[in-house]
Amino acid sequence: RTGNHIYLSGRLAKRDGEIWVGKLGDGVTAAGGKQAARGIAIELIATLHAALGDLGQAQRLVRLLVFVNSTERFTEPHVVANGASELFVEVFGDRGVHARSAVGVAQTPFGACVEIELIAEVTEPEHRD
């Protein structure tokens, strides 16, 4: 956290409690990637809640960066990212509307199919004397 922004580092897709390994366009479908992104969004919301103690302090989700582990022929990283974006709007309403980049990459840590990071604007921390 710095000032009124929280930066959440990249979270990796999981399935059945384990890292969801695979490439979009080679074994993982766009629908599977979208599901993976939604699961990551749930983890990001939980992390944000743990940091703030109250999701009401989240003024706006500012920016989402989605890395999709994909083949060079996979052209739908934006569809994968929709899994997270749609959930954020469901949970936060207008506060969940955000800027976003979704890119295909040659590899992610541990071979996870999707990695997502988030920046959120939050209420200013109370200053204590």
Side-chain angles (χ1 to χ4, degrees), residues 8 37 40-41 44 61-67 80-88 96-103 115-120:
L8 300 183
I40 295 170
L44 288 167
L61 302 186
V62 177
R63 175 129 167 75
L64 198 64
L65 181 55
V66 182
F67 300 99
V80 171
N82 286 344
S85 293
E86 291 167 1
L87 180 66
F88 288 137
V97 176
H98 51 272
R100 179 183 86 184
S101 294
V103 296
E115 179 181 5
I116 302 176
E117 61 182 51
L118 171 72
I119 301 170

Side-chain angles (χ1 to χ4, degrees), residues 17-42:
E18 301 292 325
I19 293 181
W20 188 340
V21 175
K23 281 195 174 287
L24 279 286
D26 183 20
V28 181
T29 64
K34 187 174 178 178
Q35 178 185 0
R38 184 178 176 92
I40 295 170
I42 291 168

Side-chain angles (χ1 to χ4, degrees), residues 46-64:
T47 302
L48 190 59
H49 183 261
L52 297 173
D54 174 8
L55 287 176
Q57 291 183 29
Q59 298 299 302
R60 173 164 301 283
L61 302 186
V62 177
R63 175 129 167 75
L64 198 64

Side-chain angles (χ1 to χ4, degrees), residues 64-92:
L64 198 64
L65 181 55
V66 182
F67 300 99
V68 179
N69 184 2
S70 59
T71 66
E72 63 187 39
R73 294 193 179 271
F74 184 77
T75 60
E76 297 183 315
H78 61 287
V79 172
V80 171
N82 286 344
S85 293
E86 291 167 1
L87 180 66
F88 288 137
V89 172
E90 286 175 34
V91 171
F92 293 99

